Amino acid sequence: MSMDLDAPVSIQPAPGMGQQTAATILCCNCGAPIDGTSSAGALCYDCIKLTVDISEGIQREATLHWCRDCERWLQPPNHWLVASPESRELLALCLRKLRGLQKVRIIDASFIWTEPHSRRVKVKLTIQQEAFEGTILQQSFEVEYVVAYQQCPECAKSYTANTWRAVVQVRQKVPHKRTFLYLEQLMLKHQAHRDSINIKEVKDGLDFFFAQRNHAEKLIDFLNSVVPCKVKKSQELISMDIHTSTKSYKFSYSVELVPICKDDLVALPIKLAKSIGNISPLTLCYRIGTSVNLLDPQTLQTADVSTPIYWRTPFTPLTDVQELIEFVVMDIEPIGPAKGRFLLAEATVARASDLGSNDITYYTRTHLGNVLHPGDSVLGYHLTGTNFNNPQFEALEQNSTYADNIPDVMLVKKFYARKKKNKNRNWHLKRMDKDDGDLLPKKQDQERMERDFEMFLRDVEEDTELRNTLALYKAQQKARAEKMEGVEGAEMDDTETEGSEDDEVPKINMDELLDEFDELNVEDEA
């Protein structure tokens, strides 16, 4: 066989052989065929997962600091946050503690259950990262956190003498607690006391302790918006760093409320009475808001004494609600136009204690013409024959213009005959948790506090405007049912005697009451 070197050679591919578009090589580790144009490092995907660790540089162990007293977690550098176990807040805190996560992409993160007493928190992370060009790896691993105990500054401060940073001392120089009972309900409704660390009850008021100064100033702003008061500020140096000139102070705020309450009889200075609308100096306080609202029962004229005007010329009430006397309406006749809920009327009254012993009656004008009828009982102030140690009233008696206009009786409000203490109300009020101090109140003080609270509850029932500013809650049905079963036999005997007395007592509709959502629970029926 001869070979011709000059013979033409065909470049057409042999039949049965296709065109190869990619080069195939073998993995240098396991020998698996792979695409040589896209493989990185001559490794297959399985070998890349086995040999390349994308979580390198990420911590596998870390420490979480937890305060056992307040159950808060430390978020560096000095912020303490509240987070329940296996919550989103705690998971975010755990991820912030890890270094190196900014270089990878987090796909998933979840908690792994651990024993509660083990002081360990485990988190499972799934991340992605590009290992080589065109190769993206996904990997899951666990991170273990050790829970270390560390006391927060607030709890550490509670074990020292400097437990508070600011205190608000609210005072009112009156012989009863009705104003503070009303103020307590306003604070509960608007949550004005939620930042306080302690509330202490003292003789003439309340002390509110705060860990921060701005919390105390927030309470003062609330008090200025609801009651007329005067604020004084003082500060005391606790410690000082001579190297950095850093000083630490304790702040005390003294808040004095005006010593005038609702239904008090007030004798205004004559000059002040002329400046606020030429009202009669002898007036009744019918409401306390951001100012003192006064009413002249003889003419139904009203006037407001603002806080700056009052503290410029302060005055005390002539007498308070503890001096109210029960009268019986013998006759009443409306004579004037109505002004709001008031109606001017002329009434003839007699003291309830004088009935049957003498025939002394008193003629007066009153603003209660729309609620009083002949035979009703009414509470009022008996001015005839009463000695008042008050310079404003003495000036009023010596003045020729106003001396003849002083009435014998000043009627205040209608009196409803009811039991000594009503325990069957369908509503109740919430109370604040207060510290009574080391010494428990005396028995007479406890009785006086219960009497003031019962008077306040009656005012809430009788005054619609007062009731609209408070949050009233429905009474517990279970407790009421047990109480009704226990006293059912006793109430049957008293129905005839007390039923007629309670018929006229104002009632509060169920539509005005709120449900206590804190006490609602779901019980599985057997």
Side-chain angles (χ1 to χ4, degrees), residues 436-447:
D436 296 331
D438 298 334
L439 298 178
L440 295 176
K442 299 180 181 179
K443 183 178 180 180
Q444 57 183 2
D445 295 337
Q446 187 69 25
E447 293 177 354

Side-chain angles (χ1 to χ4, degrees), residues 248-267:
S248 179
Y249 289 95
K250 271 187 175 181
F251 299 92
S252 299
Y253 298 91
S254 176
V255 181
E256 183 179 357
L257 307 182
V258 294
I260 299 176
C261 302
K262 182 176 176 290
D263 298 333
D264 285 354
L265 182 61
V266 178

Side-chain angles (χ1 to χ4, degrees), residues 261 263-267 282-285 316-321 381 383 388 393 410:
C261 302
D263 298 333
D264 285 354
L265 182 61
V266 178
L282 194 62
T283 58
L284 282 175
C285 176
T316 57
L318 190 62
T319 181
D320 55 21
V321 293
Y381 297 109
L383 304 182
F388 297 104
F393 188 74
M410 186 80 76

